Amino acid sequence: METMKKTALSYIDQAAAFFTELSDEIWGCAELSLKEFKSTALYVEKLKELGFTVTENLGGIKTSFCGSFGSGRPVIGILGEFDALDGLSQKAGCTEPDPLVPGGSGHGCGHNLLGAGSLAAAAAVKKYLEATGKPGTVIFYGCPGEEGGAGKAFLAREGVWKALDAAVSWHPGSANQVTSGSNTSSIQVLYNYKGIAAHAAGNPHIGRSALDAVELMNIGVQFLREHMTSDCRIHYAVTDAGGISPNVVQSRASVLYMVRANRVADAVGLLKRVDKIAEGAALMTDTTYERVFIDGTADVLPNYTLEKLLFANMEAVELPSYTAEDQALAEALKKTYPSSGIKGLDVCSDEAVREQIIAMSNNGQKAINDFLCPHFSCEEHFPGSTDVGDVSWLTPTAQISAVCWPSGVPGHSWQIVACGKSPLAHKGMLYAAKVMAGAVIDLLNDPETLAAARAEFEKRSASGYVCPIEPDAVPIAL
Ligand SMILES: [Zn+2]
Ligand SMILES: [Zn+2]
Protein backbone atom coordinates (compact mmCIF):
# COMPACT_ATOMS: atom_id res chain seq x y z
CA MET A 1 0.00 0.00 0.00
CA GLU A 2 1.25 3.47 -0.89
CA THR A 3 2.79 5.21 2.18
CA MET A 4 0.57 8.29 2.06
CA LYS A 5 -2.53 6.10 1.81
CA LYS A 6 -1.32 4.00 4.74
CA THR A 7 -0.78 7.16 6.82
CA ALA A 8 -4.28 8.41 5.99
CA LEU A 9 -5.86 5.09 7.01
CA SER A 10 -3.84 4.96 10.23
CA TYR A 11 -5.48 8.29 11.15
CA ILE A 12 -8.73 6.33 11.64
CA ASP A 13 -7.04 4.23 14.35
CA GLN A 14 -5.48 7.29 15.96
CA ALA A 15 -8.80 9.14 16.02
CA ALA A 16 -10.85 6.01 16.82
CA ALA A 17 -12.13 7.45 20.11
CA PHE A 18 -13.48 10.56 18.36
CA PHE A 19 -15.61 8.50 15.96
CA THR A 20 -16.72 5.77 18.36
CA GLU A 21 -17.81 8.44 20.87
CA LEU A 22 -19.77 10.17 18.11
CA SER A 23 -21.43 6.86 17.19
CA ASP A 24 -22.30 6.25 20.86
CA GLU A 25 -23.77 9.73 21.21
CA ILE A 26 -25.92 9.21 18.11
CA TRP A 27 -26.97 5.84 19.59
CA GLY A 28 -28.19 7.82 22.60
CA CYS A 29 -30.10 10.35 20.45
CA ALA A 30 -32.01 7.54 18.65
CA GLU A 31 -34.11 10.00 16.64
CA LEU A 32 -36.73 8.89 14.14
CA SER A 33 -36.65 9.62 10.41
CA LEU A 34 -36.69 13.32 9.51
CA LYS A 35 -36.74 14.26 13.20
CA GLU A 36 -32.97 13.84 13.64
CA PHE A 37 -32.38 17.37 14.95
CA LYS A 38 -30.00 16.59 17.83
CA SER A 39 -28.02 14.17 15.68
CA THR A 40 -27.77 16.74 12.89
CA ALA A 41 -26.51 19.43 15.29
CA LEU A 42 -23.89 17.00 16.59
CA TYR A 43 -22.67 16.09 13.10
CA VAL A 44 -22.52 19.71 12.00
CA GLU A 45 -20.43 20.52 15.09
CA LYS A 46 -18.07 17.57 14.45
CA LEU A 47 -17.71 18.39 10.74
CA LYS A 48 -16.71 21.96 11.59
CA GLU A 49 -14.29 20.72 14.24
CA LEU A 50 -12.68 18.48 11.61
CA GLY A 51 -12.32 21.39 9.20
CA PHE A 52 -15.01 20.56 6.63
CA THR A 53 -17.03 23.25 4.87
CA VAL A 54 -20.58 22.60 6.00
CA THR A 55 -23.83 23.10 4.10
CA GLU A 56 -26.92 22.80 6.28
CA ASN A 57 -30.52 22.37 5.19
CA LEU A 58 -29.30 20.51 2.10
CA GLY A 59 -32.02 20.18 -0.55
CA GLY A 60 -34.39 22.09 1.72
CA ILE A 61 -34.55 19.28 4.30
CA LYS A 62 -33.88 20.51 7.84
CA THR A 63 -31.96 17.41 8.96
CA SER A 64 -29.94 17.08 5.77
CA PHE A 65 -26.41 18.43 5.48
CA CYS A 66 -23.03 17.86 3.98
CA GLY A 67 -19.41 18.67 4.73
CA SER A 68 -16.88 19.02 1.94
CA PHE A 69 -13.14 19.35 1.72
CA GLY A 70 -10.71 19.81 -1.15
CA SER A 71 -10.97 21.39 -4.55
CA GLY A 72 -11.56 20.28 -8.10
CA ARG A 73 -12.31 16.85 -9.55
CA PRO A 74 -12.86 14.11 -8.89
CA VAL A 75 -15.67 14.80 -6.46
CA ILE A 76 -16.41 11.72 -4.35
CA GLY A 77 -19.36 11.40 -1.96
CA ILE A 78 -19.45 9.25 1.16
CA LEU A 79 -22.99 8.61 2.38
CA GLY A 80 -23.97 8.56 6.05
CA GLU A 81 -27.30 7.77 7.73
CA PHE A 82 -28.29 8.41 11.34
CA ASP A 83 -31.99 7.74 11.95
CA ALA A 84 -33.40 5.22 14.44
CA LEU A 85 -36.49 2.99 14.71
CA ASP A 86 -39.59 3.28 16.83
CA GLY A 87 -40.18 0.90 19.74
CA LEU A 88 -36.68 -0.57 19.77
CA SER A 89 -35.23 1.10 22.85
CA GLN A 90 -32.84 -1.31 24.55
CA LYS A 91 -30.06 -1.11 27.13
CA ALA A 92 -26.59 -1.33 25.63
CA GLY A 93 -24.77 -4.59 26.28
CA CYS A 94 -27.88 -6.21 27.82
CA THR A 95 -28.52 -9.66 26.37
CA GLU A 96 -32.22 -9.86 27.12
CA PRO A 97 -34.98 -7.46 26.00
CA ASP A 98 -34.86 -4.54 28.42
CA PRO A 99 -35.77 -1.11 27.08
CA LEU A 100 -33.73 1.89 28.15
CA VAL A 101 -36.86 4.01 27.67
CA PRO A 102 -40.08 1.94 27.64
CA GLY A 103 -41.73 2.44 24.25
CA GLY A 104 -38.80 4.55 23.08
CA SER A 105 -36.81 4.38 19.89
CA GLY A 106 -33.49 2.67 19.26
CA HIS A 107 -30.80 2.23 16.66
CA GLY A 108 -32.04 -1.16 15.49
CA CYS A 109 -30.45 -0.81 12.05
CA GLY A 110 -27.06 0.42 13.28
CA HIS A 111 -27.27 3.84 11.65
CA ASN A 112 -25.35 5.32 14.59
CA LEU A 113 -22.37 3.33 13.30
CA LEU A 114 -23.21 3.95 9.65
CA GLY A 115 -22.96 7.74 9.89
CA ALA A 116 -19.93 7.87 12.17
CA GLY A 117 -18.05 5.29 10.07
CA SER A 118 -18.71 7.24 6.88
CA LEU A 119 -17.55 10.45 8.56
CA ALA A 120 -14.36 8.71 9.70
CA ALA A 121 -13.73 7.66 6.09
CA ALA A 122 -14.28 11.21 4.83
CA ALA A 123 -11.96 12.59 7.53
CA ALA A 124 -9.21 10.15 6.50
CA VAL A 125 -9.56 11.17 2.85
CA LYS A 126 -9.32 14.80 3.97
CA LYS A 127 -6.03 13.96 5.74
CA TYR A 128 -4.79 12.40 2.51
CA LEU A 129 -5.74 15.44 0.40
CA GLU A 130 -4.06 17.76 2.90
CA ALA A 131 -0.86 15.72 3.01
CA THR A 132 -0.52 15.23 -0.74
CA GLY A 133 -1.95 18.51 -2.02
CA LYS A 134 -3.63 16.53 -4.79
CA PRO A 135 -6.73 17.82 -6.55
CA GLY A 136 -10.01 16.27 -5.57
CA THR A 137 -12.96 16.83 -3.28
CA VAL A 138 -14.48 14.56 -0.65
CA ILE A 139 -18.01 15.21 0.59
CA PHE A 140 -19.65 13.56 3.60
CA TYR A 141 -23.42 13.53 3.22
CA GLY A 142 -25.68 13.44 6.25
CA CYS A 143 -28.67 11.67 4.72
CA PRO A 144 -31.79 11.84 6.88
CA GLY A 145 -34.86 9.64 6.85
CA GLU A 146 -33.56 6.34 5.48
CA GLU A 147 -35.96 4.18 7.49
CA GLY A 148 -38.86 6.36 6.43
CA GLY A 149 -38.86 9.44 4.27
CA ALA A 150 -36.39 8.49 1.53
CA GLY A 151 -34.09 11.42 2.21
CA LYS A 152 -31.65 10.52 -0.57
CA ALA A 153 -34.47 10.29 -3.12
CA PHE A 154 -35.65 13.81 -2.22
CA LEU A 155 -32.03 14.96 -2.54
CA ALA A 156 -31.92 13.21 -5.93
CA ARG A 157 -34.91 15.25 -7.08
CA GLU A 158 -33.00 18.38 -6.00
CA GLY A 159 -30.06 17.35 -8.20
CA VAL A 160 -27.58 16.70 -5.36
CA TRP A 161 -26.01 13.44 -6.64
CA LYS A 162 -25.51 14.43 -10.27
CA ALA A 163 -22.51 16.55 -9.31
CA LEU A 164 -20.54 13.56 -7.99
CA ASP A 165 -17.99 11.49 -9.88
CA ALA A 166 -18.77 8.52 -7.61
CA ALA A 167 -20.29 7.65 -4.24
CA VAL A 168 -19.55 4.96 -1.66
CA SER A 169 -21.35 3.81 1.44
CA TRP A 170 -21.66 0.91 3.81
CA HIS A 171 -24.12 -0.74 6.15
CA PRO A 172 -23.39 -2.48 9.45
CA GLY A 173 -24.20 -6.17 9.20
CA SER A 174 -23.17 -9.65 10.23
CA ALA A 175 -20.87 -10.39 7.30
CA ASN A 176 -17.89 -8.62 5.76
CA GLN A 177 -18.77 -8.40 2.10
CA VAL A 178 -19.23 -6.15 -0.88
CA THR A 179 -22.93 -5.46 -1.37
CA SER A 180 -23.94 -6.38 -4.90
CA GLY A 181 -27.17 -6.89 -6.78
CA SER A 182 -30.17 -4.62 -6.59
CA ASN A 183 -33.24 -3.90 -4.50
CA THR A 184 -36.79 -3.20 -5.54
CA SER A 185 -38.14 0.26 -6.15
CA SER A 186 -40.84 1.25 -3.69
CA ILE A 187 -43.35 4.14 -3.54
CA GLN A 188 -45.79 5.04 -0.76
CA VAL A 189 -48.99 7.05 -1.15
CA LEU A 190 -51.65 7.75 1.47
CA TYR A 191 -55.29 8.00 0.38
CA ASN A 192 -57.50 9.91 2.81
CA TYR A 193 -61.21 9.45 2.05
CA LYS A 194 -63.94 11.79 3.27
CA GLY A 195 -67.63 10.97 3.38
CA ILE A 196 -70.68 12.08 5.38
CA ALA A 197 -71.39 10.84 8.91
CA ALA A 198 -74.90 9.66 9.66
CA HIS A 199 -76.88 7.38 11.97
CA ALA A 200 -76.23 3.99 10.39
CA ALA A 201 -79.76 2.75 11.16
CA GLY A 202 -81.79 5.96 11.20
CA ASN A 203 -80.35 7.92 8.22
CA PRO A 204 -78.18 5.53 6.20
CA HIS A 205 -79.35 7.15 2.93
CA ILE A 206 -77.72 10.42 4.03
CA GLY A 207 -74.42 8.85 5.00
CA ARG A 208 -71.52 8.38 2.58
CA SER A 209 -69.00 5.89 3.94
CA ALA A 210 -65.29 6.64 3.66
CA LEU A 211 -64.65 3.17 5.04
CA ASP A 212 -66.61 1.64 2.15
CA ALA A 213 -64.32 3.56 -0.20
CA VAL A 214 -61.23 2.12 1.48
CA GLU A 215 -62.69 -1.40 1.30
CA LEU A 216 -63.59 -1.03 -2.38
CA MET A 217 -60.17 0.36 -3.14
CA ASN A 218 -58.57 -2.67 -1.48
CA ILE A 219 -60.81 -5.01 -3.49
CA GLY A 220 -59.96 -3.18 -6.71
CA VAL A 221 -56.25 -3.52 -6.01
CA GLN A 222 -56.79 -7.19 -5.20
CA PHE A 223 -58.05 -7.69 -8.77
CA LEU A 224 -55.16 -5.62 -10.14
CA ARG A 225 -52.66 -8.04 -8.58
CA GLU A 226 -53.46 -10.66 -11.23
CA HIS A 227 -52.54 -8.25 -13.99
CA MET A 228 -49.09 -7.06 -13.06
CA THR A 229 -45.64 -8.51 -13.71
CA SER A 230 -44.34 -10.98 -11.15
CA ASP A 231 -41.65 -8.59 -9.83
CA CYS A 232 -44.39 -6.26 -8.55
CA ARG A 233 -45.78 -6.17 -5.04
CA ILE A 234 -48.56 -4.02 -3.60
CA HIS A 235 -48.84 -3.74 0.20
CA TYR A 236 -51.31 -1.69 2.21
CA ALA A 237 -52.22 -0.70 5.74
CA VAL A 238 -55.55 0.80 6.84
CA THR A 239 -54.20 3.62 8.96
CA ASP A 240 -57.62 4.99 9.92
CA ALA A 241 -60.79 2.90 9.78
CA GLY A 242 -62.91 5.90 10.74
CA GLY A 243 -63.68 5.00 14.33
CA ILE A 244 -64.98 2.17 16.47
CA SER A 245 -68.73 2.76 16.25
CA PRO A 246 -70.53 0.47 13.78
CA ASN A 247 -73.71 2.50 14.19
CA VAL A 248 -72.06 5.55 12.63
CA VAL A 249 -71.41 5.85 8.91
CA GLN A 250 -67.66 6.49 8.89
CA SER A 251 -66.98 9.93 7.46
CA ARG A 252 -63.23 9.46 7.28
CA ALA A 253 -60.91 6.56 6.52
CA SER A 254 -57.35 6.29 5.26
CA VAL A 255 -55.28 3.65 3.59
CA LEU A 256 -51.53 3.74 3.02
CA TYR A 257 -50.28 1.96 -0.08
CA MET A 258 -46.79 0.74 -0.90
CA VAL A 259 -46.16 -0.19 -4.52
CA ARG A 260 -43.04 -2.10 -5.53
CA ALA A 261 -41.43 -3.17 -8.80
CA ASN A 262 -37.90 -4.15 -9.73
CA ARG A 263 -37.46 -0.99 -11.79
CA VAL A 264 -38.44 2.46 -10.63
CA ALA A 265 -40.10 3.36 -13.96
CA ASP A 266 -42.36 0.30 -13.56
CA ALA A 267 -43.24 1.22 -9.97
CA VAL A 268 -44.23 4.71 -11.11
CA GLY A 269 -46.38 3.13 -13.86
CA LEU A 270 -48.03 0.70 -11.45
CA LEU A 271 -48.82 3.50 -9.02
CA LYS A 272 -50.82 5.26 -11.78
CA ARG A 273 -53.06 2.18 -11.99
CA VAL A 274 -53.53 2.17 -8.20
CA ASP A 275 -54.47 5.87 -8.42
CA LYS A 276 -57.22 5.01 -10.91
CA ILE A 277 -58.64 2.44 -8.50
CA ALA A 278 -58.56 5.04 -5.71
CA GLU A 279 -60.57 7.39 -7.88
CA GLY A 280 -62.96 4.58 -8.81
CA ALA A 281 -63.60 3.81 -5.15
CA ALA A 282 -64.48 7.44 -4.51
CA LEU A 283 -66.89 7.46 -7.50
CA MET A 284 -68.59 4.26 -6.33
CA THR A 285 -69.18 5.58 -2.84
CA ASP A 286 -69.84 9.25 -3.63
CA THR A 287 -66.98 10.24 -1.36
CA THR A 288 -63.99 12.48 -1.94
CA TYR A 289 -60.36 11.75 -1.30
CA GLU A 290 -57.05 13.47 -0.84
CA ARG A 291 -53.93 11.81 -2.21
CA VAL A 292 -50.77 12.41 -0.16
CA PHE A 293 -47.45 11.34 -1.64
CA ILE A 294 -45.26 9.99 1.16
CA ASP A 295 -41.97 8.77 -0.32
CA GLY A 296 -40.34 6.59 -2.93
CA THR A 297 -37.04 4.94 -3.71
CA ALA A 298 -35.50 3.68 -6.92
CA ASP A 299 -33.91 0.28 -7.48
CA VAL A 300 -30.15 0.04 -7.01
CA LEU A 301 -27.87 0.01 -10.06
CA PRO A 302 -24.84 -2.06 -9.11
CA ASN A 303 -21.40 -0.98 -10.27
CA TYR A 304 -19.03 -3.92 -10.64
CA THR A 305 -16.02 -1.66 -11.19
CA LEU A 306 -16.48 0.03 -7.83
CA GLU A 307 -17.41 -3.27 -6.18
CA LYS A 308 -14.08 -4.73 -7.32
CA LEU A 309 -12.24 -1.69 -5.96
CA LEU A 310 -14.00 -1.94 -2.61
CA PHE A 311 -13.21 -5.65 -2.40
CA ALA A 312 -9.52 -5.00 -3.07
CA ASN A 313 -9.57 -2.60 -0.13
CA MET A 314 -11.45 -5.08 2.06
CA GLU A 315 -8.61 -7.49 1.39
CA ALA A 316 -5.91 -4.87 1.98
CA VAL A 317 -7.23 -3.62 5.32
CA GLU A 318 -6.64 -5.89 8.27
CA LEU A 319 -9.83 -7.52 9.56
CA PRO A 320 -10.75 -6.85 13.20
CA SER A 321 -9.70 -9.36 15.84
CA TYR A 322 -12.01 -10.15 18.71
CA THR A 323 -11.58 -10.47 22.46
CA ALA A 324 -13.18 -13.01 24.76
CA GLU A 325 -15.67 -10.26 25.77
CA ASP A 326 -16.67 -9.68 22.13
CA GLN A 327 -17.20 -13.41 21.68
CA ALA A 328 -19.18 -13.69 24.91
CA LEU A 329 -21.54 -10.87 23.92
CA ALA A 330 -22.07 -12.38 20.46
CA GLU A 331 -22.65 -15.87 21.88
CA ALA A 332 -25.13 -14.59 24.47
CA LEU A 333 -27.09 -12.60 21.87
CA LYS A 334 -27.04 -15.47 19.38
CA LYS A 335 -28.94 -17.61 21.89
CA THR A 336 -31.84 -15.13 21.86
CA TYR A 337 -33.01 -15.66 18.27
CA PRO A 338 -33.53 -18.68 16.05
CA SER A 339 -30.79 -19.41 13.58
CA SER A 340 -31.70 -17.79 10.27
CA GLY A 341 -29.02 -19.20 8.03
CA ILE A 342 -25.63 -17.85 7.25
CA LYS A 343 -25.47 -14.18 6.55
CA GLY A 344 -23.47 -13.37 3.49
CA LEU A 345 -25.32 -15.92 1.44
CA ASP A 346 -28.23 -13.62 0.78
CA VAL A 347 -26.41 -11.91 -2.09
CA CYS A 348 -24.84 -15.03 -3.41
CA SER A 349 -26.41 -17.32 -5.97
CA ASP A 350 -23.01 -18.72 -6.95
CA GLU A 351 -22.75 -22.27 -5.63
CA ALA A 352 -18.94 -22.26 -5.29
CA VAL A 353 -18.96 -19.02 -3.31
CA ARG A 354 -21.76 -20.33 -1.09
CA GLU A 355 -19.70 -23.41 -0.29
CA GLN A 356 -16.75 -21.24 0.71
CA ILE A 357 -18.87 -19.07 3.00
CA ILE A 358 -20.46 -22.14 4.61
CA ALA A 359 -16.98 -23.49 5.34
CA MET A 360 -15.63 -20.17 6.65
CA SER A 361 -18.61 -19.63 8.93
CA ASN A 362 -18.21 -23.13 10.32
CA ASN A 363 -21.61 -24.00 8.86
CA GLY A 364 -23.19 -20.96 10.45
CA GLN A 365 -21.99 -21.90 13.92
CA LYS A 366 -19.63 -18.97 14.39
CA ALA A 367 -21.13 -16.26 16.58
CA ILE A 368 -18.97 -13.64 14.86
CA ASN A 369 -18.31 -13.97 11.14
CA ASP A 370 -14.69 -12.91 11.49
CA PHE A 371 -13.83 -13.51 7.82
CA LEU A 372 -14.15 -11.74 4.49
CA CYS A 373 -16.74 -13.26 2.14
CA PRO A 374 -15.34 -13.99 -1.33
CA HIS A 375 -15.93 -11.38 -4.00
CA PHE A 376 -19.20 -11.83 -5.82
CA SER A 377 -21.05 -9.42 -8.10
CA CYS A 378 -24.56 -10.07 -9.36
CA GLU A 379 -27.59 -8.51 -11.03
CA GLU A 380 -30.32 -10.04 -8.87
CA HIS A 381 -33.05 -7.95 -7.26
CA PHE A 382 -33.35 -8.70 -3.55
CA PRO A 383 -36.50 -7.93 -1.59
CA GLY A 384 -36.51 -4.64 0.29
CA SER A 385 -35.69 -1.10 -0.72
CA THR A 386 -33.10 1.57 -0.02
CA ASP A 387 -32.79 5.19 -1.03
CA VAL A 388 -29.16 4.49 -1.99
CA GLY A 389 -30.86 3.37 -5.21
CA ASP A 390 -31.63 6.95 -6.15
CA VAL A 391 -27.97 7.88 -5.71
CA SER A 392 -26.95 4.91 -7.88
CA TRP A 393 -29.05 6.17 -10.82
CA LEU A 394 -27.22 9.50 -10.79
CA THR A 395 -23.58 8.61 -10.10
CA PRO A 396 -21.53 5.37 -9.94
CA THR A 397 -22.23 3.97 -6.48
CA ALA A 398 -21.18 0.92 -4.44
CA GLN A 399 -21.49 -0.26 -0.85
CA ILE A 400 -20.04 -2.75 1.57
CA SER A 401 -21.28 -4.48 4.68
CA ALA A 402 -19.07 -4.91 7.76
CA VAL A 403 -19.55 -7.12 10.82
CA CYS A 404 -20.99 -5.08 13.68
CA TRP A 405 -23.20 -7.69 15.33
CA PRO A 406 -23.51 -11.46 15.72
CA SER A 407 -24.15 -13.90 12.90
CA GLY A 408 -27.76 -14.26 11.77
CA VAL A 409 -29.16 -11.50 14.00
CA PRO A 410 -32.58 -10.32 12.76
CA GLY A 411 -32.64 -6.87 11.16
CA HIS A 412 -34.40 -4.07 13.04
CA SER A 413 -34.11 -5.86 16.37
CA TRP A 414 -33.36 -5.10 20.02
CA GLN A 415 -30.28 -7.30 19.71
CA ILE A 416 -28.79 -4.82 17.22
CA VAL A 417 -29.50 -1.94 19.61
CA ALA A 418 -27.92 -3.95 22.46
CA CYS A 419 -24.79 -4.42 20.36
CA GLY A 420 -24.64 -0.85 18.97
CA LYS A 421 -22.22 0.61 21.52
CA SER A 422 -20.02 -2.46 21.95
CA PRO A 423 -16.36 -2.82 20.92
CA LEU A 424 -17.59 -5.50 18.49
CA ALA A 425 -19.66 -2.87 16.67
CA HIS A 426 -16.95 -0.20 16.89
CA LYS A 427 -14.42 -2.55 15.30
CA GLY A 428 -16.67 -3.17 12.29
CA MET A 429 -17.29 0.55 11.94
CA LEU A 430 -13.58 1.40 11.90
CA TYR A 431 -12.87 -1.42 9.45
CA ALA A 432 -15.58 -0.13 7.09
CA ALA A 433 -14.21 3.42 7.44
CA LYS A 434 -10.72 2.31 6.39
CA VAL A 435 -12.04 0.30 3.45
CA MET A 436 -14.13 3.21 2.14
CA ALA A 437 -11.32 5.74 2.67
CA GLY A 438 -8.91 3.39 0.89
CA ALA A 439 -11.25 3.03 -2.09
CA VAL A 440 -11.81 6.79 -2.34
CA ILE A 441 -8.06 7.46 -2.17
CA ASP A 442 -7.60 4.93 -5.00
CA LEU A 443 -10.21 6.77 -7.07
CA LEU A 444 -8.37 10.06 -6.50
CA ASN A 445 -5.24 8.45 -7.92
CA ASP A 446 -6.69 6.27 -10.64
CA PRO A 447 -8.62 8.12 -13.35
CA GLU A 448 -8.85 4.91 -15.37
CA THR A 449 -10.88 3.07 -12.72
CA LEU A 450 -13.06 6.12 -12.28
CA ALA A 451 -13.63 6.29 -16.06
CA ALA A 452 -14.45 2.58 -16.14
CA ALA A 453 -16.94 3.02 -13.29
CA ARG A 454 -18.49 5.93 -15.18
CA ALA A 455 -18.71 3.98 -18.45
CA GLU A 456 -20.41 1.09 -16.64
CA PHE A 457 -22.78 3.53 -14.95
CA GLU A 458 -23.69 5.21 -18.27
CA LYS A 459 -24.53 1.83 -19.76
CA ARG A 460 -26.64 0.69 -16.82
CA SER A 461 -28.53 3.98 -16.50
CA ALA A 462 -29.05 4.48 -20.26
CA SER A 463 -32.85 4.28 -19.92
CA GLY A 464 -32.71 7.40 -17.73
CA TYR A 465 -33.57 8.01 -14.08
CA VAL A 466 -37.25 8.27 -13.29
CA CYS A 467 -37.40 10.04 -9.94
CA PRO A 468 -40.03 8.38 -7.74
CA ILE A 469 -40.46 11.62 -5.78
CA GLU A 470 -43.28 13.68 -7.28
CA PRO A 471 -42.52 17.28 -8.23
CA ASP A 472 -44.62 18.94 -5.52
CA ALA A 473 -43.98 16.37 -2.76
CA VAL A 474 -42.42 17.43 0.53
CA PRO A 475 -40.69 15.08 2.98
CA ILE A 476 -43.15 13.90 5.63
CA ALA A 477 -42.13 12.59 9.04
CA LEU A 478 -44.75 9.95 9.77
ZN1 LIG B 1 -33.19 -0.39 8.42
ZN1 LIG C 1 -30.31 0.50 7.67
Side-chain angles (χ1 to χ4, degrees):
M1 198 185 282
E2 179 214 346
T3 319
M4 298 298 262
K5 179 177 168 184
K6 220 178 210 169
T7 310
L9 300 195
S10 68
Y11 159 78
I12 293 173
D13 286 325
Q14 287 152 25
F18 181 91
F19 297 105
T20 55
E21 278 163 26
L22 172 63
S23 171
D24 290 355
E25 277 192 77
I26 299 293
W27 184 97
C29 294
E31 293 168 295
L32 298 180
S33 301
L34 302 172
K35 295 175 183 168
E36 314 96 331
F37 295 104
K38 276 191 269 174
S39 306
T40 297
L42 199 55
Y43 268 107
V44 167
E45 181 195 314
K46 298 292 178 192
L47 278 165
K48 286 180 181 166
E49 203 178 317
L50 290 166
F52 285 87
T53 304
V54 178
T55 304
E56 293 181 67
N57 210 16
L58 187 67
I61 305 173
K62 287 193 181 78
T63 54
S64 176
F65 55 92
C66 69
S68 71
F69 181 82
S71 60
R73 304 278 292 269
V75 184
I76 314 288
I78 304 180
L79 314 175
E81 297 164 12
F82 47 97
D83 55 341
L85 290 155
D86 190 31
L88 283 181
S89 177
Q90 165 70 17
K91 287 178 184 157
C94 182
T95 56
E96 57 188 54
D98 189 2
L100 187 64
V101 180
S105 50
H107 269 289
C109 204
H111 294 181
N112 56 311
L113 301 155
L114 203 171
S118 291
L119 179 61
V125 176
K126 175 177 177 284
K127 288 281 172 197
Y128 182 83
L129 288 170
E130 279 169 340
T132 59
K134 289 190 175 179
T137 306
V138 61
I139 311 179
F140 169 80
Y141 287 93
C143 307
E146 196 281 330
E147 296 295 355
K152 296 183 202 70
F154 277 92
L155 295 176
R157 187 190 62 180
E158 302 308 312
V160 167
W161 313 117
K162 269 191 293 194
L164 298 178
D165 289 302
V168 295
S169 192
W170 77 294
H171 202 292
S174 58
N176 296 308
Q177 62 184 353
V178 172
T179 311
S180 193
S182 185
N183 291 93
T184 55
S185 166
S186 171
I187 311 175
Q188 291 194 93
V189 173
L190 178 69
Y191 301 89
N192 294 318
Y193 284 92
K194 277 208 171 68
I196 298 168
H199 192 293
N203 311 98
H205 56 293
I206 292 170
R208 297 290 180 270
S209 172
L211 182 59
D212 287 357
V214 164
E215 289 196 68
L216 285 165
M217 178 171 180
N218 293 346
I219 291 165
V221 171
Q222 176 61 12
F223 280 96
L224 169 65
R225 286 193 178 91
E226 193 190 343
H227 305 285
M228 52 190 210
T229 50
S230 55
D231 61 305
C232 295
R233 297 281 185 277
I234 306 179
H235 321 297
Y236 70 98
V238 177
T239 55
D240 181 4
I244 57 163
S245 303
N247 56 349
V248 175
V249 173
Q250 287 81 5
S251 63
R252 52 154 227 284
S254 298
V255 59
L256 177 61
Y257 265 87
M258 179 181 274
V259 169
R260 292 183 197 263
N262 276 357
R263 289 289 179 163
V264 61
D266 296 334
V268 170
L270 184 60
L271 177 62
K272 289 197 175 113
R273 297 173 72 191
V274 172
D275 282 338
K276 282 186 183 171
I277 292 170
E279 198 180 340
L283 286 171
M284 282 188 278
T285 51
D286 197 17
T287 56
T288 59
Y289 74 104
E290 173 202 28
R291 178 185 181 280
V292 184
F293 180 89
I294 303 295
D295 61 22
T297 58
D299 50 304
V300 173
L301 294 183
N303 192 290
Y304 288 7
T305 313
L306 291 182
E307 286 171 17
K308 216 170 125 190
L309 179 70
L310 281 166
F311 184 76
N313 279 278
M314 291 189 98
E315 277 187 310
V317 174
E318 195 185 340
L319 282 167
S321 52
Y322 299 101
T323 61
E325 286 78 25
D326 298 331
Q327 289 290 351
L329 175 67
E331 298 279 359
L333 284 170
K334 203 171 188 290
K335 287 194 185 103
T336 65
Y337 51 85
S339 173
S340 60
I342 303 157
K343 283 281 168 177
L345 288 183
D346 47 351
V347 291
C348 182
S349 55
D350 184 293
E351 200 55 43
V353 176
R354 288 170 76 92
E355 291 297 327
Q356 285 179 63
I357 297 173
I358 288 167
M360 284 190 289
S361 67
N362 194 12
N363 204 19
Q365 298 302 303
K366 276 191 179 177
I368 304 174
N369 288 327
D370 55 357
F371 54 87
L372 173 60
C373 292
H375 182 50
F376 182 77
S377 284
C378 68
E379 304 289 332
E380 287 160 63
H381 281 82
F382 297 99
S385 304
T386 168
D387 60 4
V388 175
D390 298 86
V391 183
S392 76
W393 273 92
L394 294 165
T395 194
T397 305
Q399 310 173 75
I400 63 161
S401 152
V403 171
C404 290
W405 46 68
S407 174
V409 75
H412 292 190
S413 64
W414 65 263
Q415 289 93 339
I416 289 176
V417 188
C419 225
K421 282 170 90 174
S422 68
L424 166 61
H426 293 153
K427 286 173 188 177
M429 178 185 94
L430 298 171
Y431 173 69
K434 285 181 231 173
V435 170
M436 288 188 290
V440 174
I441 289 168
D442 290 348
L443 288 174
L444 294 172
N445 286 305
D446 184 1
E448 275 178 32
T449 301
L450 200 56
R454 173 64 53 176
E456 185 184 342
F457 162 78
E458 297 289 356
K459 213 171 150 187
R460 288 185 184 275
S461 63
S463 62
Y465 173 53
V466 176
C467 185
I469 307 298
E470 297 181 352
D472 54 352
V474 289
I476 294 172
L478 285 177

